[in-house]
Amino acid sequence: MAIAPGSTNIVASTTMREDEWSQLLARLATAGDEGVFARLFRHFAPLVKGFYLSNGGLTPESADELVQEVMVKVWRKAAGFDPRKSSASTWIFTIARNSRIDYLRKHASNEAATSTLESEDIWSEGTDNPPFVYLQQSLDQRDIDILLSELPQEQRECLFKVYLEGKSHADLAEELNLPLGTVKSRIRLGLSRLKSAVNL
Amino acid sequence: MARYHPEDELLLEYAAGRTDWAVSICVAAHLHFCPSCREQVAKFNRIGGHCLEQADKVDVPEDALNSVMAMIRTESRGEKAPNPTKAAPAVKPAFQQLPPVIQKLIPDSGKVRWSFVTPALKAARLETGQDKYEVCFHRIKKGGTVAEHDHNGRELTLVLQGRFSDENGTYSVGDFLMKQPGETHRPTATLDQDCLCLSVQEAPVKLTGLVGRVINPFLRVRPG
């Protein structure tokens, strides 16, 4: 199927639920369909860009470059996506995270040039995917979404900033003008609430 | 199965892609041995997926989709897409049982350069493409004891082969320890076999005992 720029799947696609994105990505995995890919692109490319810009460290131009790289990888790796193991957004998050790490390393240091490792050696399929026996007891993405939205604001804020704004616990403490111990305990409380709710 | 694990906070930072490169290597090597921490990371990845899904959308350039399709078509016309798993270099049998991420740190020659530190301890520096941490193999001779030392920065230790013990416990393959600045310990390998560890040190180790002068020059972080 040819791709017309600005074609009109947008309205339909923004109203899809998360698990339907996963089904769509699974379809891409089996069929390699360009029309399916275009719908995924229109949904996820702006999300990845927004995610990158809130992460810091990237200009809008480099974010655009990286978003394209991520979406090429989504196509190339789609066959490895398994909707029983993760949702589309989690799977794409890991690709976006790894691509950003490699990009920043490549542009920040000479040391990286001497490395035999890339992010995918460290944040690899093998380490990202638990064995099946654990998966059976685990939650689906929607449960996680609900649990996160039920956390007290201050705990959720701390948790999200680690992901969204690239803050270490120490950065967070400085930004929120709180002792490091307080930030750590908020994150710990948030995590333990998730844990006790779902045997996480 | 490993009994000593990274704290959840560290696994969270790892999943978010915030851990330093050398620390990430050590965490990844632990994950190789530890299904329950892998499961934990998978859950933390989902928080990442949630954050991505909740991000504010920012428009990409109009022609972005076409550019990406052009890249994909060029790629599929050319050779097959590059195989994401690179062929593992031939690794010396002694290292074959190690996590893949560690095997990749071993030079193509299949050999690492061991340096004598004390009669009980040899060390081999690993090139990891960063200079914030000193990343080494430590090999403690069976029954041998490493001089008591404390740390200027964090020290992460992952047991790769054999076992060692210190004042707080006995550590076996896959066990992950993090020592904070000021904490001292005095590791002793068990009698049955040598103990191989991955050591990731944030800053030069200070020796608190007499042998300190011997070890310190070796364990300094490489200048430059």
Side-chain angles (χ1 to χ4, degrees):
Chain A
M1 174 176 154
I3 301 200
S7 78
T8 52
N9 280 323
I10 297 171
V11 178
S13 62
T14 48
T15 57
M16 284 179 74
R17 285 214 324 272
E18 165 58 35
D19 53 345
E20 292 169 284
W21 289 113
S22 300
Q23 286 166 20
L24 206 55
L25 184 56
R27 245 169 77 198
L28 179 68
T30 50
D33 184 302
E34 290 189 5
V36 167
F37 180 74
R39 289 170 69 191
L40 288 163
F41 186 97
R42 291 199 186 87
H43 178 66
F44 282 106
L47 282 176
V48 173
K49 184 173 178 183
F51 179 74
Y52 277 154
L53 291 179
S54 65
N55 261 286
L58 293 172
T59 62
E61 292 72 29
S62 52
D64 279 329
E65 187 188 325
L66 211 45
V67 167
Q68 294 197 13
E69 199 181 304
V70 168
M71 295 312 294
V72 170
K73 285 183 187 164
V74 167
W75 174 280
R76 193 197 292 158
K77 292 163 164 285
F81 172 70
D82 182 345
R84 291 168 307 174
K85 287 185 173 174
S86 71
S87 68
S89 58
T90 293
W91 189 74
I92 293 174
F93 160 76
T94 61
I95 293 177
R97 172 196 66 197
N98 294 0
S99 301
R100 176 176 180 274
I101 291 168
D102 284 331
Y103 185 92
L104 292 179
R105 273 176 60 76
K106 212 162 56 191
H107 288 81
S109 80
N110 298 326
E111 287 284 328
T114 64
S115 177
T116 52
L117 294 180
E118 292 184 349
S119 63
E120 287 187 2
D121 296 315
I122 297 178
W123 288 267
S124 65
E125 290 287 315
T127 55
D128 273 341
N129 284 315
F132 188 69
V133 52
Y134 284 87
L135 280 167
Q136 285 179 315
Q137 325 160 357
S138 76
L139 297 169
D140 74 18
Q141 183 77 39
R142 227 169 328 152
D143 297 329
I144 294 262
D145 292 348
I146 291 165
L147 281 166
L148 285 170
S149 65
E150 287 172 350
L151 283 182
Q153 164 69 18
E154 56 176 35
Q155 291 168 19
R156 195 171 56 228
E157 183 187 19
C158 284
L159 270 182
F160 283 12
K161 277 179 188 286
V162 175
Y163 288 83
L164 280 174
E165 294 172 22
K167 309 282 186 187
S168 67
H169 298 350
D171 294 338
L172 269 181
E174 199 168 306
E175 180 191 305
L176 300 171
N177 204 12
L178 291 169
L180 181 58
T182 306
V183 167
K184 282 194 167 173
S185 75
R186 283 186 185 178
I187 289 176
R188 199 167 295 172
L189 274 172
L191 290 179
S192 66
R193 184 166 302 220
L194 288 180
K195 272 185 163 177
S196 60
V198 293
N199 191 24
L200 194 93
Chain B
M1 199 173 294
R3 288 186 305 135
Y4 294 86
H5 308 273
E7 292 186 336
D8 276 350
E9 288 82 352
L10 185 60
L11 292 178
L12 179 79
E13 287 188 325
Y14 168 86
R18 303 301 166 210
T19 35
D20 285 318
W21 193 245
V23 172
S24 309
I25 291 170
C26 196
V27 171
H30 170 75
L31 294 178
H32 172 81
F33 296 110
C34 186
S36 68
C37 285
R38 287 207 293 279
E39 167 64 2
Q40 203 71 324
V41 167
K43 280 166 184 156
F44 293 155
N45 283 343
R46 290 181 191 175
I47 302 180
H50 178 88
C51 291
L52 175 64
E53 196 60 48
Q54 300 297 313
D56 294 325
K57 287 191 172 185
V58 177
D59 284 340
V60 295
E62 288 228 337
D63 60 352
L65 175 55
N66 286 331
S67 312
V68 166
M69 284 318 305
M71 281 187 250
I72 288 167
R73 290 187 190 119
T74 312
E75 200 174 75
S76 54
R77 262 202 306 275
E79 303 204 348
K80 287 207 70 153
N83 190 341
T85 51
K86 276 168 277 177
V91 171
K92 233 181 143 181
F95 297 122
Q96 266 170 5
Q97 302 303 314
L98 300 183
V101 63
I102 302 301
Q103 290 191 22
K104 288 196 178 174
L105 296 175
I106 294 165
D108 289 342
S109 66
K111 289 181 187 150
V112 295
R113 240 183 37 224
W114 290 104
S115 306
F116 173 89
V117 184
T118 71
L121 176 68
K122 285 186 194 170
R125 197 172 179 282
L126 299 170
E127 183 56 62
T128 51
Q130 55 81 45
D131 58 6
K132 191 169 169 185
Y133 293 78
E134 179 94 335
V135 181
C136 295
F137 281 143
H138 281 178
R139 187 184 288 284
I140 313 173
K141 207 172 160 183
K142 53 185 168 189
T145 295
V146 177
E148 179 172 14
H149 57 282
D150 69 12
H151 310 93
N152 291 329
R154 292 197 297 183
E155 182 190 39
L156 282 56
T157 303
L158 180 75
V159 182
L160 296 169
Q161 289 166 2
R163 278 181 297 161
F164 80 84
S165 56
D166 66 10
E167 299 80 349
N168 304 310
T170 300
Y171 312 97
S172 313
V173 172
D175 280 336
F176 181 102
L177 278 91
M178 177 146 66
K179 292 282 172 197
Q180 297 297 341
E183 288 185 80
T184 65
H185 70 150
R186 200 163 170 273
T188 300
T190 52
L191 291 168
D192 55 332
Q193 57 176 318
D194 290 357
C195 178
L196 179 70
C197 297
L198 180 73
S199 159
V200 175
Q201 293 166 349
E202 192 167 20
V205 169
K206 303 191 281 213
L207 265 285
T208 51
L210 274 177
V211 237
R213 287 190 306 277
V214 183
I215 300 190
N216 241 349
F218 170 73
L219 289 176
R220 75 185 187 277
V221 173
R222 191 170 50 101

